[in-house]
Structures are given as C-alpha cells and as structure tokens.
Amino acid sequence: MVAFHDPSDENALTKRFRDAGIQVTPQRLTIADTLFQCEKHISAEELYLQVREKNPRIGLATIYRTLHILKEKGLVEEHRFNDEFSRYEVKDSTHHDHLICIECGKVVEFGQPVIEHLQDLAAEEKDFTIVSHKLEIYGICKDCRDRKAMKKR
Amino acid sequence: MVAFHDPSDENALTKRFRDAGIQVTPQRLTIADTLFQCEKHISAEELYLQVREKNPRIGLATIYRTLHILKEKGLVEEHRFNDEFSRYEVKDSTHHDHLICIECGKVVEFGQPVIEHLQDLAAEEKDFTIVSHKLEIYGICKDCRDRKAMKKR
DNA sequence: TTGACTGCAAAACTTTTGCAAAAAC
DNA sequence: GTTTTTGCAAAAGTTTTGCAGTCAA
C-alpha cells in the first residue's frame, strides 16, 4: 500500500503524459502517481488527502482539474456507484465491470467479455453506435451475508 | 404529454400509497401523479417545476422527501447517468436497461433478459448475493451520428 | 516570453436538515 | 391528541470557476 517513490515511475508517467498530449507539471505527476498506485476506486477527496501528504500546497481544485484531464485523455475512468460522489480508477486495457455490496460498499471487479456481444445486439436494434458500457451488479457480499446471518441469532 | 387530471388516477394512486404503507397527503399525490404521468427519467428539479404548476406551494424539499419514500417503497427507481444529477423513473415489473447517447443525452430503454443469467455466473464466482443490476450502454444515437456526418461536409 | 497551470477563496449546484406551523391518523 | 408531514430557509457536500500569481515550454 505504501509504495516507495520510485523515480522511474515518474519517468514512465512523464512519458505517458506526453504521449497523451498532457502538459507535465509536478502537481499532475504527484496526483497521477498517487492515483496510479492507490487501490481502486478512490474519491477526489481521498485522493486530495493522500496527495496532500506528499505536497500540502496542492489544492483540491487542481485534483479535480487533473482528474478531468486524465479522464478526457482516457487514462482514468469515473464511476458513480450507488448514490455516492464520483470515484476514479485507472483505466487499463482490459474492460471489467463491478459488483457492489449494498451493505458495506465494497467493490469487486469482474471481467465479462460476453456482454460485449450482447450489447451489440441491443444497440443495433436501437441504432446506437456503442462507445462504452457500464454494468454494475448490486448485491450482498459474503462477509455481510455472514454478518447478517449471525445477527439473527 | 400534457395529460388531463383524471380523478380516477388519484384514487388509484391513493390505493397504491396505502398498499405500500405510505401516508397519503395531497402533496405526495400531486408529486407522484406528475411523476407517473411524465416521460421517463425526470430530475428532481424538473419534477419540481412541473409540480409547481399544479400547486406552487409545494417545496423542493418535499419533492426530495417524497422521492426518497417512493424509492424506498420500490415505486420509483433512481438513476445517475453519466455525470449528471439523479433522475427518476417509475418502476414497472419488467426490468430494463438503458442506452444513453453521449452527444445529446437521450436515453432509450431496452430489455435484456439474458443478462440476468450472466450476472448470476459472475456473482456466484465472487460469492455475492445479487439484488439488482444496472447496465448502461453509452454510445451515439442515429440522429447525432447523422448530424456529425453532416458537419464533416 | 507567452500561454497554460496553480492556489485560494468564493460560487454553483444538488440534496439534506432544523424547526415552527399545519395536516393526517 | 399524538405523530407525521410541510415549507421555508439555511446548511451540507461535492464540484466548478474567477483571478492574480507562477511555472512549463
């Protein structure tokens, strides 16, 4: 979880930024570095707090502005599970969907290539050109199920 | 779109409220009536404006409070397409998913029973008890596609 | 040098809450 | 008569914006 700050990462990041046509600044590097190293699905506020530890002079507005850019350039994805605020995750090449526990909020990822085909059918019927999809399955995870069973005596 | 106010609807609504264990008030009837007659996926603000025309003394807070109750009792569903605020739709017995145009924001519904089976597989693997799911497919609708093709000369 | 970015604070926007008055049961 | 609901206004929470100063190229 606590990763050492490896300068090589930063070089790799710099390259990614340039490739994506994103101007490189120390703030953006810090933000992206934190985001890329963090566990999945972080909120802007959480990211802000973590970034703050590395550089307290970075403001929340910069977090948001950077997230917008990263999203626009396709490096991160924005999610809104349930009724909450936005959460962000690094976009990797393999698309996946999410299982969300309605009790504890835990988010588990799963791959589901079959859906790709399914959505094509649906979209074709309605004459849509598909760009992306989001499948969120809401349920109760094992831990919460067990806890509930326990409570009932 | 503009529906006449049929008192029989209100009686039906009253019955639905009682069946669901919701206390009946004029405000709630007006709000639910408006929501039930409206086109799909209305926002709280839009609903407020429409309700206001029937009874200007109803406040926005009451809209939100009523929506919470209706949602809790399973009469309406809340959605958060894209990055927008919440939108609400009347819940009917047949589950459906949504195609959302990323250009114009249009939302089209489609039924997709196969997904029910698919999600079972995914959830079983991760040991989740499924409660519900949301599949949102983002793309470009025919109109927007045509418009874009036109613009390119 | 010049245009893009940052930090701060203030604004914007959606949603929630406290409270006294009013209505429902 | 007690409990629940309402309307208003104010608060809360997340996200955006204006602007003067700073930095990257």
Side-chain angles (χ1 to χ4, degrees), chain A residues 45-67:
Chain A
E45 183 72 20
E46 287 162 356
L47 184 56
Y48 173 55
L49 292 177
Q50 289 192 28
V51 164
R52 202 167 241 278
E53 286 176 20
K54 300 183 187 172
N55 179 355
R57 307 226 39 240
I58 296 179
L60 184 53
T62 303
I63 303 280
Y64 277 107
R65 284 188 277 229
T66 303
L67 285 171

Short mmCIF file of all heavy atoms in Angstrom, two decimals, chain A residues 45-67:
data_model
loop_
_atom_site.label_atom_id
_atom_site.label_comp_id
_atom_site.label_asym_id
_atom_site.label_seq_id
_atom_site.Cartn_x
_atom_site.Cartn_y
_atom_site.Cartn_z
N GLU A 45 -11.82 13.50 -2.88
CA GLU A 45 -11.45 13.92 -1.53
C GLU A 45 -10.34 13.03 -0.95
O GLU A 45 -9.36 13.53 -0.40
CB GLU A 45 -12.70 13.84 -0.63
CG GLU A 45 -12.48 14.32 0.79
CD GLU A 45 -12.32 15.84 0.89
OE1 GLU A 45 -12.73 16.55 -0.04
OE2 GLU A 45 -11.74 16.29 1.89
N GLU A 46 -10.49 11.73 -1.09
CA GLU A 46 -9.48 10.80 -0.59
C GLU A 46 -8.15 11.02 -1.30
O GLU A 46 -7.08 11.03 -0.69
CB GLU A 46 -9.93 9.35 -0.81
CG GLU A 46 -11.04 8.89 0.11
CD GLU A 46 -11.74 7.64 -0.40
OE1 GLU A 46 -11.41 7.17 -1.53
OE2 GLU A 46 -12.62 7.13 0.29
N LEU A 47 -8.25 11.20 -2.61
CA LEU A 47 -7.05 11.45 -3.39
C LEU A 47 -6.37 12.73 -2.92
O LEU A 47 -5.15 12.79 -2.75
CB LEU A 47 -7.43 11.55 -4.87
CG LEU A 47 -6.29 11.72 -5.87
CD1 LEU A 47 -5.26 10.62 -5.74
CD2 LEU A 47 -6.84 11.77 -7.29
N TYR A 48 -7.20 13.73 -2.67
CA TYR A 48 -6.70 15.02 -2.18
C TYR A 48 -5.92 14.84 -0.89
O TYR A 48 -4.81 15.36 -0.73
CB TYR A 48 -7.89 15.95 -1.97
CG TYR A 48 -7.56 17.26 -1.32
CD1 TYR A 48 -6.60 18.10 -1.85
CD2 TYR A 48 -8.25 17.67 -0.18
CE1 TYR A 48 -6.31 19.32 -1.25
CE2 TYR A 48 -7.98 18.88 0.42
CZ TYR A 48 -7.01 19.70 -0.12
OH TYR A 48 -6.73 20.91 0.47
N LEU A 49 -6.48 14.07 0.03
CA LEU A 49 -5.82 13.86 1.32
C LEU A 49 -4.48 13.15 1.14
O LEU A 49 -3.50 13.48 1.80
CB LEU A 49 -6.73 13.05 2.25
CG LEU A 49 -7.99 13.82 2.70
CD1 LEU A 49 -8.88 12.94 3.55
CD2 LEU A 49 -7.61 15.09 3.44
N GLN A 50 -4.46 12.16 0.25
CA GLN A 50 -3.21 11.43 0.03
C GLN A 50 -2.16 12.29 -0.66
O GLN A 50 -0.98 12.23 -0.32
CB GLN A 50 -3.49 10.16 -0.80
CG GLN A 50 -4.25 9.10 -0.02
CD GLN A 50 -4.25 7.76 -0.73
OE1 GLN A 50 -3.34 7.43 -1.48
NE2 GLN A 50 -5.30 6.98 -0.52
N VAL A 51 -2.62 13.07 -1.62
CA VAL A 51 -1.70 13.94 -2.34
C VAL A 51 -1.11 14.99 -1.40
O VAL A 51 0.07 15.33 -1.44
CB VAL A 51 -2.42 14.62 -3.53
CG1 VAL A 51 -1.62 15.79 -4.05
CG2 VAL A 51 -2.68 13.60 -4.63
N ARG A 52 -1.97 15.48 -0.54
CA ARG A 52 -1.61 16.48 0.45
C ARG A 52 -0.41 16.05 1.30
O ARG A 52 0.39 16.88 1.73
CB ARG A 52 -2.82 16.67 1.36
CG ARG A 52 -2.90 17.94 2.11
CD ARG A 52 -4.30 18.05 2.70
NE ARG A 52 -4.96 19.23 2.18
CZ ARG A 52 -4.75 20.45 2.69
NH1 ARG A 52 -3.94 20.63 3.69
NH2 ARG A 52 -5.37 21.48 2.18
N GLU A 53 -0.32 14.76 1.57
CA GLU A 53 0.78 14.26 2.38
C GLU A 53 2.12 14.37 1.64
O GLU A 53 3.17 14.49 2.25
CB GLU A 53 0.54 12.81 2.79
CG GLU A 53 -0.53 12.70 3.87
CD GLU A 53 -0.83 11.25 4.21
OE1 GLU A 53 0.01 10.38 3.91
OE2 GLU A 53 -1.92 10.99 4.77
N LYS A 54 2.03 14.29 0.33
CA LYS A 54 3.27 14.40 -0.45
C LYS A 54 3.60 15.85 -0.74
O LYS A 54 4.77 16.23 -0.81
CB LYS A 54 3.13 13.64 -1.78
CG LYS A 54 2.84 12.15 -1.59
CD LYS A 54 2.79 11.46 -2.94
CE LYS A 54 2.34 10.01 -2.78
NZ LYS A 54 2.10 9.38 -4.09
N ASN A 55 2.55 16.64 -0.96
CA ASN A 55 2.75 18.06 -1.26
C ASN A 55 1.53 18.84 -0.80
O ASN A 55 0.54 18.91 -1.51
CB ASN A 55 2.98 18.25 -2.77
CG ASN A 55 3.17 19.71 -3.10
OD1 ASN A 55 3.04 20.60 -2.25
ND2 ASN A 55 3.47 19.98 -4.36
N PRO A 56 1.63 19.43 0.39
CA PRO A 56 0.48 20.09 1.01
C PRO A 56 0.01 21.33 0.26
O PRO A 56 -1.05 21.84 0.55
CB PRO A 56 1.01 20.50 2.40
CG PRO A 56 2.30 19.80 2.57
CD PRO A 56 2.84 19.54 1.21
N ARG A 57 0.79 21.76 -0.69
CA ARG A 57 0.42 23.00 -1.38
C ARG A 57 -0.51 22.73 -2.57
O ARG A 57 -0.95 23.65 -3.23
CB ARG A 57 1.67 23.75 -1.85
CG ARG A 57 2.69 23.96 -0.71
CD ARG A 57 3.23 25.37 -0.69
NE ARG A 57 2.22 26.37 -1.00
CZ ARG A 57 2.29 27.21 -2.02
NH1 ARG A 57 3.31 27.18 -2.82
NH2 ARG A 57 1.33 28.08 -2.23
N ILE A 58 -0.79 21.48 -2.85
CA ILE A 58 -1.68 21.17 -3.96
C ILE A 58 -3.14 21.30 -3.52
O ILE A 58 -3.54 20.74 -2.51
CB ILE A 58 -1.41 19.76 -4.51
CG1 ILE A 58 0.00 19.70 -5.10
CG2 ILE A 58 -2.46 19.37 -5.55
CD1 ILE A 58 0.40 18.35 -5.65
N GLY A 59 -3.89 22.06 -4.26
CA GLY A 59 -5.28 22.34 -3.89
C GLY A 59 -6.26 21.34 -4.48
O GLY A 59 -5.97 20.63 -5.44
N LEU A 60 -7.44 21.31 -3.87
CA LEU A 60 -8.47 20.38 -4.31
C LEU A 60 -8.89 20.67 -5.75
O LEU A 60 -9.18 19.76 -6.54
CB LEU A 60 -9.67 20.48 -3.37
CG LEU A 60 -10.84 19.54 -3.58
CD1 LEU A 60 -10.38 18.09 -3.63
CD2 LEU A 60 -11.88 19.73 -2.50
N ALA A 61 -8.91 21.94 -6.10
CA ALA A 61 -9.31 22.32 -7.46
C ALA A 61 -8.38 21.68 -8.48
O ALA A 61 -8.82 21.22 -9.54
CB ALA A 61 -9.31 23.82 -7.61
N THR A 62 -7.13 21.63 -8.14
CA THR A 62 -6.15 21.03 -9.06
C THR A 62 -6.40 19.53 -9.19
O THR A 62 -6.23 18.95 -10.27
CB THR A 62 -4.72 21.29 -8.56
OG1 THR A 62 -4.56 22.70 -8.43
CG2 THR A 62 -3.69 20.75 -9.53
N ILE A 63 -6.80 18.91 -8.10
CA ILE A 63 -7.17 17.49 -8.16
C ILE A 63 -8.28 17.31 -9.18
O ILE A 63 -8.19 16.47 -10.09
CB ILE A 63 -7.65 16.99 -6.79
CG1 ILE A 63 -6.62 17.21 -5.70
CG2 ILE A 63 -8.08 15.53 -6.89
CD1 ILE A 63 -5.53 16.19 -5.66
N TYR A 64 -9.32 18.08 -9.06
CA TYR A 64 -10.45 17.95 -9.97
C TYR A 64 -10.04 18.24 -11.40
O TYR A 64 -10.41 17.53 -12.33
CB TYR A 64 -11.59 18.88 -9.54
CG TYR A 64 -12.45 18.29 -8.46
CD1 TYR A 64 -12.38 18.75 -7.16
CD2 TYR A 64 -13.35 17.25 -8.74
CE1 TYR A 64 -13.18 18.20 -6.17
CE2 TYR A 64 -14.14 16.71 -7.76
CZ TYR A 64 -14.06 17.18 -6.46
OH TYR A 64 -14.84 16.64 -5.48
N ARG A 65 -9.27 19.31 -11.57
CA ARG A 65 -8.88 19.68 -12.93
C ARG A 65 -8.02 18.58 -13.55
O ARG A 65 -8.16 18.24 -14.72
CB ARG A 65 -8.16 21.03 -12.92
CG ARG A 65 -9.15 22.18 -12.75
CD ARG A 65 -8.52 23.55 -12.93
NE ARG A 65 -7.85 24.01 -11.72
CZ ARG A 65 -8.03 25.22 -11.19
NH1 ARG A 65 -8.84 26.09 -11.74
NH2 ARG A 65 -7.39 25.58 -10.10
N THR A 66 -7.15 18.02 -12.75
CA THR A 66 -6.29 16.94 -13.26
C THR A 66 -7.12 15.69 -13.59
O THR A 66 -6.92 15.06 -14.62
CB THR A 66 -5.21 16.59 -12.22
OG1 THR A 66 -4.46 17.77 -11.93
CG2 THR A 66 -4.28 15.52 -12.75
N LEU A 67 -8.07 15.38 -12.71
CA LEU A 67 -8.91 14.21 -12.96
C LEU A 67 -9.69 14.39 -14.26
O LEU A 67 -9.85 13.45 -15.03
CB LEU A 67 -9.86 13.98 -11.78
CG LEU A 67 -9.20 13.37 -10.54
CD1 LEU A 67 -10.17 13.37 -9.36
CD2 LEU A 67 -8.73 11.94 -10.82
#
